[in-house]
Amino acid sequence: MSGVTWRVTEVVFDAASQHAGESLFALGNGYLGTRGSFEEGFPGDWPATFIHGVYDDVPIGHTELANVSNWLPFDLYVEGEHFSLDSGEVLNYQRELVLRQGLLSRTLRWRSPAGRTVDIAVERFVSLADAHLCAIRYQVVPLDFDGQIEWRAGLNGHVENRGVLHWDRLGQGAQSGIVWLRSRTRGTGIELGQAGRLKVTGAEDVTHFCLDCDGQPVAAARARAREGRAIVAEKTVAIFTSRETPDPCAAAIEKLQNLRGGYNDLRTAHLAEWEKYWAVSDAIIEGDDEVQRAVRFGLFHLLAAAPWEDKHVSLGPKALSGFAYRGHVFWDTEVFMLPFFTLTQPGLARNLLMYRYHTLPGARRKAAANGFAGAQYAWESADTGDEVTPTWVPRQNQRDPVRIWTGDLELHISSDVAFAVWQYWQATGDDSFMADYGAEIILDTAVFWSSRVEWNAEKSHYEITNVVGPDEYHDRINNNAFTNDLVRWHMETAQQVWRWLEQKHPARAAELADRLKLQTQTLARWAEVATRLCLPVDPSTGLLEQFEGYFHRRDVNLAEYEPRTVSMQALLGIEEVGKTQILKQPDVLMLFFMLRDRYDQCSLRANWDYYVPRTDHTYGSSLGPPVHALLACEIGEPEAAYRHFCRAAQADLGDVRGNTGDGIHAASAGGLWQAVVFGFGGLRLTPEGWSATPRPPAHWQRLAFRFYYRGKLEEVDWRRETQSK
Ligand code: BGC
């Protein structure tokens, strides 16, 4: 069985942290994700299942992944007494997620208010072998009585997204032991079909029956249980939406009717699929169990949520584990999570990039609406690619709402996407993707930039004014070094891609030239923008000014605010923090994270020394710590690297920001992998090949990982004992 580093275990249930637990113990299979709420519920819980692409309209945030009918309900009655953690007495308890297997289990001993004691063991999974199937196995052993056990396994249509109701219920029913529920999203008209059934074994006299509660069909069973003898109930649920099939409810019922075998067969198939993922995607760290577990925890959630069939969806900052950010897609995916997929599961990376290809029409609409040419990706994107960032949001305990500028001004997303396409192509050599899809993304976003940059005649350079960089503590700023230099990279890369396309795929080049209106002058213009785009840099040190005027903002010694438990923005207020040099997350340093080979060590040192002390590491963005960990490896500061790394590793398992309940931090998980592989592993990919110069922390005994480079599976396996020989 899997060892401690493959397990996330909870030995005491604390109601105060139940929401964090629901996120930590979430399961997923690339089609849907289900929070780790209890089968029997608990007061104040936030059970949720999200299905990729099932968006519905919502005020302020435009659209969100709609929490679908709850497939978990599985209630146990012991001689008529309902089992729940808030009644009777819990004599022992353990909840465990086995990351290697995608299995969530709970074992506990419970004494009912009337004094009957049972051992309970519940295990569930959402099948990685068949994305439309979920299953729960529920075992009960009466310890001090013979008596009646009853289970009610339901589908609950009474669900909400924190107060927002998305579903019209269209019907429910029962046929030959299968209960079903049909519903439809109110705004987008997506139909959902669920079917469930219950099977009891281990008891002689079992009665199966169905209950038809409003919006909540239930498959139930009653049995006589004997002291010391286990009886087991298995619940199997099938789920489809009209995104896959015209009659999802019929498909769900049919799926269950045609199912051969029981829980164990489904489980075996499921485990085999997880093995395949881990065989390539695992990153092994020996000598540091905490960190090993955290890395695997993050990879588990990334793999659990990554769409392996659907090329029209992508991953949000919370993957499929929570309500926050409404399932919108940010740069988190391309810059933080994608490299893990590109290198270990290139097929998944391709799907995620195809989402960006399919949402080009939305990006073109956004550019046109703003008066620009080409494609401008939405800062927050959902099903269509149109901008879905809220413009104003209510401010806690205050009358006036806050203006959110990121949707209007956080422009670097267009180049982040282009960068990810380029990185995928470089690592995989997937020329057909590049020719058919990737090139169009890089080129049309270059067209956007070419129309967006502004010529400053006085200074005789191009500039980009009125933007937001990665550090969102500062908005409406001019010439953000990160944005400008990334655009410079973009303009250069677009020329390269264009030449490649003309040479290798002339027909496609001609077609794109026609459609995107690319002419000889276009290339010349890109070259000119690349050379004459301003970049505020001190030539003697390489220190970049984060944006024009940044160095004149108030300098603050962050140490003076310690100890604290909230972000500097929460402490000083939105307006005040903007007047200082405090950073929410790496901004200039993101250039060194993404475009490491374009800068030398001296300039990394100058920028590291300046910006790291001014960053709100613990309570700013969770995207920051893995970036700092990786760069500290580059700069040769192993202790700092490990410190930042542990901060990233604790993002969810330690609930550092107190918001894990809203969903896990998927970008941090992807960043953590990058810190392991590119940081401590020292992996470098160049067009000529790859190299690795591992530089792990002193107490690590082994660091090993696999990755695909140009279609070939490669391996780095560093062991301390072989080093010291
Ligand atoms: C960060 C962004 C990030 C977003 C979603 C924000 O707090 O500043 O960089 O994209 O969260 O994770």
Side-chain angles (χ1 to χ4, degrees), residues 317 325 330-332 379 410 470 472 584-585 621 623:
Y325 295 119
F330 295 65
W331 73 319
D332 302 39
W379 174 246
E410 196 152 353
E472 294 174 356
K584 179 182 182 187
Q585 66 203 88
S621 167
L623 276 55

Side-chain angles (χ1 to χ4, degrees), residues 409-520:
L409 307 179
E410 196 152 353
L411 307 184
H412 62 84
I413 177 73
S414 293
S415 291
D416 302 329
V417 173
F419 171 77
V421 167
W422 173 261
Q423 207 183 29
Y424 169 83
W425 186 43
Q426 292 300 297
T428 59
D430 186 349
D431 287 350
S432 69
F433 170 80
M434 194 58 168
D436 294 344
Y437 311 107
E440 189 169 339
I441 292 176
I442 294 181
L443 295 171
D444 216 20
T445 41
V447 171
F448 159 70
W449 280 122
S450 180
S451 73
R452 173 61 177 82
V453 295
E454 305 135 70
W455 177 247
N456 183 326
E458 209 175 294
K459 295 187 176 156
S460 196
H461 65 203
Y462 287 100
E463 47 185 28
I464 307 174
T465 63
N466 201 24
V467 300
V468 180
D471 159 31
E472 294 174 356
Y473 283 176
H474 298 95
D475 52 40
R476 292 164 290 163
I477 52 164
N478 297 336
N479 292 315
N480 169 243
F482 171 77
T483 307
N484 285 20
D485 213 31
L486 196 60
V487 170
R488 186 198 301 270
W489 167 88
H490 195 156
M491 289 316 207
E492 290 166 7
T493 305
Q495 296 171 61
Q496 237 174 301
V497 168
W498 178 249
R499 285 194 202 98
W500 173 82
L501 204 63
E502 271 194 317
Q503 220 179 30
K504 305 278 185 188
H505 301 269
R508 174 74 174 145
E511 190 248 320
L512 278 185
D514 189 43
R515 203 148 45 80
L516 309 185
K517 302 190 182 59
L518 305 176
Q519 297 155 348
T520 327

Side-chain angles (χ1 to χ4, degrees), residues 283 343 672-684 703 705 707:
L343 289 184
L672 202 62
W673 180 86
Q674 294 194 58
V676 170
V677 167
F678 300 117
F680 296 123
L683 179 67
R684 274 273 178 293
L703 169 60
F705 52 86
F707 59 96

